[in-house]
Each structure stands twice: as structure tokens, then as C-alpha cells.
Amino acid sequence: MGRLSTLTGTSNYFEDFEVGMAIRHARGKTLSNLENVLICNMVMNTAQGHFNAHAMRDMAFGGGQIVSYGGVNFSLVLGLAAQDCIENALAELGLDNIKLSRPVTHGDTLYAYSEVLETGPAEREDAGIVTFRHYGFNQDDEQIAQIDRTALLKRKSHWADR
């Protein structure tokens, strides 16, 4: 049986990240009403703009369309960045400075890229701390979100196969 380290990427350990590094994530995700309405219901968000098309029909915000819940939007951006940035994380330490800059509607496709803001030691010798800034863009290349994420990442020297 192989080691657990074979289940994750080989270029996303603590040592692989340097301050200033930019990462363009390969995948995009088209937002459907499933993500938006289901999660709104699950977290008890009762704002009608997230699930009532009739109420939104005459609203200028969102172009008269249902507007996705911001928590869904930034979560999708975090998810698009996860494989490249935190696949080898031991812990999520913080999400800060969340900015939602424009509405996202059903049918919009989101893309992400990330920047490494800071790297540093951890209390554990087998891990280090990395702070990323994740950016989300829609299909028209308009920025929709920005999130700072701090994670405790495995050190390749301790966790990767030799």
C-alpha cells in the first residue's frame, strides 16, 4: 500500500511557495441555482434576492436577476484555488479581508488566481504557515471577490515520499 502523500500534489507543500508568487488556477465553475439556493436554505439566509426571481425582476441590482449569496461566491473561489494552494494543509488558520466587489448571478462562470502574501515558520517543525490572497473573476474578467486565507501547510521535507 502506498503512502498517504501520494494522494496529494507534489508542488504545493510549504517549501513550494514564495512571497509574490502568482498562481492561475486551471478550472472555472459555472454557478447554478443549485449552489446558491441550496446553500441559502442551509444557512437560513432569507434575503429574497437570492431565490425569488419575481421580487428581483424590477430591481436594478443584479440586472433584475437572482443574485448569488456572497458566501457561495467566495466559497467557490476558495474551492477553485484549493488544489493548487492548500491541498497539503494540516489546518485552515484564517479567512480575512473578504471583499465582494460585484454581483454574481446564476449562469456566471467564476475563475480564480492566487498570490502568496506571506510565508513563515509554524510551532510544528513538520509544517509552515502561508497566507494567500485569492481573487475571483467572472467570465467577463470582472473581479467579483478577494479573500485572504492563512493555512498551516505540510513541509515537503517531512511529509513527501523520498
Side-chain angles (χ1 to χ4, degrees):
M1 183 167 157
R3 292 186 48 162
L4 287 178
S5 63
T6 61
L7 298 176
T8 60
T10 59
S11 62
N12 51 16
Y13 288 90
F14 171 75
E15 295 92 338
D16 296 314
F17 297 104
E18 296 177 8
V19 173
M21 180 179 180
I23 305 159
R24 182 171 185 249
H25 306 292
R27 294 185 186 90
K29 171 69 174 98
T30 302
L31 179 78
S32 73
N33 59 350
L34 173 67
E35 290 97 1
N36 182 47
V37 176
L38 177 64
I39 293 174
C40 280
N41 288 329
M42 289 172 56
V43 299
M44 299 177 67
N45 184 327
T46 60
Q48 289 197 81
H50 299 312
F51 53 81
N52 185 335
H54 182 252
M56 290 302 289
R57 184 176 56 196
D58 298 323
M59 300 294 287
F61 186 78
Q65 299 179 60
I66 290 178
V67 178
S68 176
Y69 166 46
V72 172
N73 303 344
F74 77 75
S75 294
L76 285 175
V77 172
L78 292 172
L80 290 167
Q83 183 177 13
D84 297 325
C85 294
I86 64 152
E87 190 176 52
N88 279 305
L90 295 168
E92 185 97 61
L93 301 177
L95 296 173
D96 298 297
N97 303 316
I98 298 169
K99 297 176 184 169
L100 304 170
S101 49
R102 57 184 309 108
V104 174
T105 59
H106 297 174
D108 282 351
T109 300
L110 303 185
Y111 298 93
Y113 82 86
S114 301
E115 173 184 10
V116 178
L117 298 181
E118 188 175 340
T119 64
E123 291 181 13
R124 301 171 55 146
E125 70 175 41
D126 66 340
I129 297 172
V130 179
T131 301
F132 299 95
R133 177 163 289 155
H134 302 298
Y135 300 91
F137 287 84
N138 66 17
Q139 68 281 351
D140 297 320
D141 207 28
E142 300 166 320
Q143 187 174 336
I144 59 96
Q146 176 182 304
I147 312 102
D148 293 351
R149 170 196 256 165
T150 302
L152 181 69
L153 296 182
K154 297 174 184 176
R155 285 186 184 270
K156 189 178 286 189
S157 57
H158 288 74
W159 290 87
D161 291 336
R162 294 190 176 133

